[in-house]
Amino acid sequence: MTTPTKTSSFRPDIQGLRAIAVLLVVLYHSGVSVLGGGYVGVDVFFVISGFLITSHLLGSLERDGRIRFREFYAKRARRILPASFAVVLFTVIASFIWVNPLQLTQVLQGAAWTALYVPNYLFAVEGTDYLAETIPSVFQHYWSLGIEEQFYILWPALLTGAFLLLRRRPKLVTWVILAVAVVSFAACLLVVSRSQPWAFFSLPTRAWELAVGGLVAALLRTRPAWIATGIAGLSAWVGLIAVIAAGFTFTSSTPFPGLSTLLPVLGTAALIIGGASSTRWSPAPLLSLRPMQFVGAISYSLYLVHWPMQQIPQSAVGYNNPLPLWVTLGLAVLSVPLAWLSFRYIEEPFRTSPRARRASASATLIATGATSAVIAVTAICLLLVGNLTPISSGRAVEAGQPLSVPPVVPSFVPSNLTPQLREASNDNSVVYANGCHQGPTGRDANGCWFGSNTDAPVVALFGDSHAASWVPAFAAMAEAGEIRLNSNSKSSCGSVQTASEQAAPGTSCAVWRDRVIERLRADPPDIIVLANFAAARVEGESDPAQAWRDGIAQTLAELPAASRVVIMADSPNFGITPAMCLAAHLEDVSACEVDRAVALRDDLRSVERDTDGADWIDLTDYICDDLSCSPVVGNYLVSRDAHHLTKTFAEALTPALRERLLSATSTARGT
């Protein structure tokens, strides 16, 4: 994000471009469906930031032969951090009032990372999907601010070093900027195919967008003759169309960042270049209209306040009750006067008041560091204290009872719930900790073994992360000597694949899957269990049921004929993380139940049940009755997130699995 710069070189067209960028983001976050690509507004801001900062830095190098680092960082701190810190503070206070205690942990963690200027890496480490997160952090929008802050720290030093190494020839620095853009863009393309969150949130894979703005700054300093022609103005219109088109045509399914990001980035570059032209063909007059100037002026504060304005009310009513569009748009409108107040009474005074101007750079930086430290330490202390506070109704239920059909569902969140709500996200299969489960880029197809009874039938579990969530139940049987388990699982990579997935050979998923099948064919196990997130595998298919039927048939044809094949019915999809919902409804578990027809895909289940040549094991009746599926059964928490079983509940399903699997094992061995 960038804040307006009021200097003699102030450009109204860039102010208007800020308005377009922030409106794209705000309307996208408000749920306006036709703006499925509104997130590209952030990319527009990146290019603007790179242009403005590089213009300033190159000017300093040409004029003074150096950059005054303390003054530069102090000036950036005064412009960016006061409003940022204020929104962090008010967001935390509002969260204490309206957010459930489990989500408050997420809020405090986000506040600490934000205060340390690295929130983007928090979301990268957590594997956040910015375009499809069901319960996003109230500080998730700070990821872009983190990238810009990190850029501001490194960019002056890089340009200064290049300037000195190239014997103080500013024009040659342009080649360094170009090199940064090319290397960063290549890194983006490489990383996005392996880990989209890291490509989305990290500075090295996003720096090219800011560097493109830097290239524009370097170009305009040379004042080429064609800038004054109608070509530059007309190209700016093309750029404007490109930015708007990206906002309307991109969706959460668009591969991003990557090649598609070129559309808004190059479009913004064309707009900035065209705005520097004096030709009447430029869209600068449109961007300079008073409403555009107003929104552009408050764009930084509007970006900061609009997201918590959306998320805190949503959290208060529960993410299982999405706010209607008229409410989210109303909240977006309400964000405008709040943003103006922030701009008028926080941004402007810290940037332009005589007292702020008199403050030394050292004093500004010391105050900034102290404020960051206070916010981070306070958030961490509150987080540690909060984690010691149990989240439950305070009442217990009888523990350790065998699971039954239909499930026994308490009306409240038991104090002896296992795992506890705070521990749910980490209650995971051992295959994640021991490296057996392959991540998005993994290709190791050897699997891992459980059980030491060499006379026991061999069971190969094969699938995506949903297969991994079943490992605890199968492993319990292996440890009891009833089977030998070979676990083969990889994130977002099914053992059953649709035709569209099979049309992408050479990916880590395709390579891993082919290698597993090759190994199974070379040494056929007694049982092969296919477990997949079926709904994800057929997403985007015109006929999901037929695509799944064809995929299963293709997989059965590839597997060894000597093995008995079993298909595991998929676990329920609760839509959101149940622990978050339960933390807000400690006395009413039913508020977090999901209709059976919504939680289970009957079309895909029917395909699996009716498949010739495979058995079907369905344990969902231990979670769901005829009407709904519950996130709490007895004293067990069913899912650690929207659709992955907790390790504890999977283990509790072992007796039910044993009964069904051993009959298939007997058939496989001909007994």
Side-chain angles (χ1 to χ4, degrees):
M1 291 297 304
T2 59
T3 52
T5 305
K6 291 188 176 180
T7 68
S8 58
S9 59
F10 172 72
R11 284 182 49 177
D13 62 303
I14 290 182
Q15 196 80 303
L17 188 52
R18 285 193 184 96
I20 291 175
V22 78
L23 289 175
L24 282 172
V25 174
V26 171
L27 292 174
Y28 167 71
H29 284 158
S30 300
V32 178
S33 58
V34 295
L35 279 174
Y39 51 84
V40 302
V42 173
D43 303 280
V44 175
F45 278 121
F46 281 163
V47 179
I48 294 174
S49 292
F51 169 74
L52 294 176
I53 293 303
T54 306
S55 296
H56 171 74
L57 295 174
L58 291 179
S60 295
L61 290 174
E62 290 179 1
R63 183 179 60 254
D64 305 323
R66 66 189 180 99
I67 294 172
R68 294 179 173 83
F69 286 93
R70 282 192 303 175
E71 287 74 8
F72 171 80
Y73 291 131
K75 188 175 182 180
R76 297 312 303 165
R78 286 196 299 269
R79 290 188 176 185
I80 292 176
L81 297 181
S84 173
F85 288 156
V87 173
V88 169
L89 177 62
F90 284 112
T91 298
V92 170
I93 292 173
S95 296
F96 267 97
I97 299 172
W98 285 296
V99 168
N100 74 68
L102 187 59
Q103 193 175 1
L104 186 60
T105 298
Q106 181 192 65
V107 170
L108 293 172
Q109 183 184 46
W113 285 66
T114 297
L116 297 174
Y117 318 119
V118 288
N120 50 318
Y121 290 109
L122 168 64
F123 305 129
V125 169
E126 292 180 337
T128 299
D129 186 345
Y130 177 86
L131 304 180
E133 194 69 17
T134 55
I135 304 182
S137 166
V138 292
F139 293 114
Q140 186 165 291
H141 63 313
Y142 272 82
W143 75 271
S144 60
L145 189 60
I147 282 182
E148 292 202 7
E149 289 165 339
Q150 294 150 27
F151 177 79
Y152 295 152
I153 291 173
L154 299 175
W155 197 238
L158 177 64
L159 294 185
T160 299
F163 180 72
L164 296 176
L165 288 174
L166 296 172
R167 299 182 179 180
R168 300 177 178 271
R169 288 178 287 182
K171 291 183 179 180
L172 293 182
V173 176
T174 303
W175 292 101
V176 176
I177 299 174
L178 176 62
V180 170
V182 171
V183 172
S184 174
F185 185 61
C188 178
L189 297 180
L190 179 67
V191 174
V192 75
S193 63
R194 292 162 170 77
S195 177
Q196 192 272 348
W198 278 96
F200 195 98
F201 290 113
S202 69
L203 174 63
T205 54
R206 289 296 200 137
W208 68 273
E209 300 182 48
L210 295 117
V212 166
L215 287 172
V216 173
L219 171 68
L220 293 184
R221 296 194 72 80
T222 66
R223 299 178 178 85
W226 61 268
I227 290 293
T229 68
I231 296 176
L234 291 175
S235 67
W237 280 106
V238 174
L240 181 59
I241 293 171
V243 170
I244 300 300
F248 278 94
T249 61
F250 287 9
T251 68
S252 60
S253 300
T254 302
F256 204 90
L259 290 174
S260 57
T261 320
L262 289 170
L263 186 63
V265 168
L266 297 183
T268 304
L271 271 164
I272 295 174
I273 293 172
S277 169
S278 58
T279 176
R280 59 189 176 89
W281 297 105
S282 168
L286 173 64
L287 297 174
S288 301
L289 293 175
R290 176 171 289 186
M292 302 293 283
Q293 295 299 292
F294 171 75
V295 176
I298 67 168
S299 60
Y300 178 60
S301 284
L302 181 56
Y303 181 85
L304 291 177
V305 304
H306 87 280
W307 182 245
M309 280 291 291
Q310 295 284 346
Q311 292 304 309
I312 292 176
Q314 180 63 78
S315 178
V317 302
Y319 283 88
N320 53 331
N321 297 303
L323 294 173
L325 181 61
W326 67 269
V327 173
T328 57
L329 287 176
L331 292 170
V333 172
L334 184 58
S335 298
V336 174
L338 292 177
W340 179 83
L341 290 172
S342 172
F343 170 76
R344 175 66 178 82
Y345 295 104
I346 300 177
E347 280 192 64
E348 287 288 87
F350 277 94
R351 185 167 61 238
T352 62
S353 70
R355 184 175 181 181
R357 291 181 178 276
R358 287 195 302 268
S360 68
S362 297
T364 298
L365 295 176
I366 291 172
T368 297
T371 304
S372 297
V374 168
I375 293 175
V377 170
T378 301
I380 292 171
C381 290
L382 291 172
L383 180 62
L384 294 174
V385 171
N387 284 342
L388 298 176
T389 306
I391 304 174
S392 75
S393 64
R395 292 174 286 164
V397 296
E398 190 173 0
Q401 294 300 301
L403 300 179
S404 61
V405 176
V408 177
V409 178
S411 61
F412 51 86
V413 177
S415 59
N416 58 339
L417 183 71
T418 179
Q420 290 287 310
L421 296 181
R422 291 192 188 278
E423 302 165 358
S425 61
N426 296 320
D427 194 63
N428 212 344
S429 170
V430 68
V431 295
Y432 286 89
N434 67 11
C436 177
H437 178 74
Q438 298 298 296
T441 62
R443 299 186 179 205
D444 184 352
N446 291 320
C448 55
W449 289 90
F450 296 84
S452 57
N453 182 4
T454 56
D455 295 326
V458 175
V459 176
L461 180 62
F462 183 20
D464 55 22
S465 59
H466 281 210
S469 72
W470 284 111
V471 167
F474 285 91
M477 293 181 62
E479 291 165 4
E482 297 166 324
I483 62 171
R484 286 192 70 214
L485 173 66
N486 178 237
S487 177
N488 307 271
S489 61
K490 176 175 167 60
S491 291
S492 302
C493 184
S495 52
V496 174
Q497 294 187 326
T498 61
S500 58
E501 289 179 309
Q502 294 169 11
T507 64
S508 66
C509 176
V511 170
W512 172 83
R513 180 179 177 274
D514 290 346
R515 288 175 178 174
V516 172
I517 291 176
E518 181 181 355
R519 181 170 56 79
L520 295 178
R521 290 175 65 89
D523 186 13
D526 296 288
I527 296 285
I528 299 175
V529 179
L530 306 177
N532 297 277
F533 186 9
R537 303 276 69 81
V538 299
E539 186 176 0
E541 298 288 345
S542 58
D543 186 346
Q546 186 60 49
W548 194 234
R549 184 178 294 106
D550 294 342
I552 291 175
Q554 177 64 34
T555 300
L556 292 179
E558 295 174 318
L559 295 175
S563 300
R564 184 74 175 176
V565 178
V566 171
I567 301 174
M568 287 293 298
D570 211 357
S571 50
N573 187 346
F574 290 94
I576 64 168
T577 302
M580 286 289 189
C581 180
L582 293 167
H585 299 90
L586 298 177
E587 297 294 338
D588 185 14
V589 168
S590 65
C592 301
E593 294 176 354
V594 179
D595 289 348
R596 183 184 179 106
V598 175
L600 304 176
R601 286 288 299 269
D602 284 338
D603 56 339
L604 306 183
R605 287 164 57 83
S606 296
V607 168
E608 296 171 349
R609 184 182 61 241
D610 299 336
T611 296
D612 292 330
D615 292 317
W616 190 53
I617 294 180
D618 180 18
L619 302 182
T620 53
D621 285 345
Y622 289 89
I623 306 170
C624 312
D625 58 24
D626 292 339
L627 299 177
S628 62
C629 299
S630 175
V632 177
V633 173
N635 70 310
Y636 297 108
L637 180 64
V638 172
S639 292
R640 61 181 172 87
D641 59 17
H643 47 77
H644 290 92
L645 298 176
T646 63
K647 170 181 176 290
T648 304
F649 187 74
E651 289 174 339
L653 284 170
T654 302
L657 176 65
R658 176 185 295 113
E659 177 185 348
R660 290 158 175 77
L661 185 66
L662 291 183
S663 63
T665 303
S666 299
T667 303
R669 290 201 158 191
T671 58

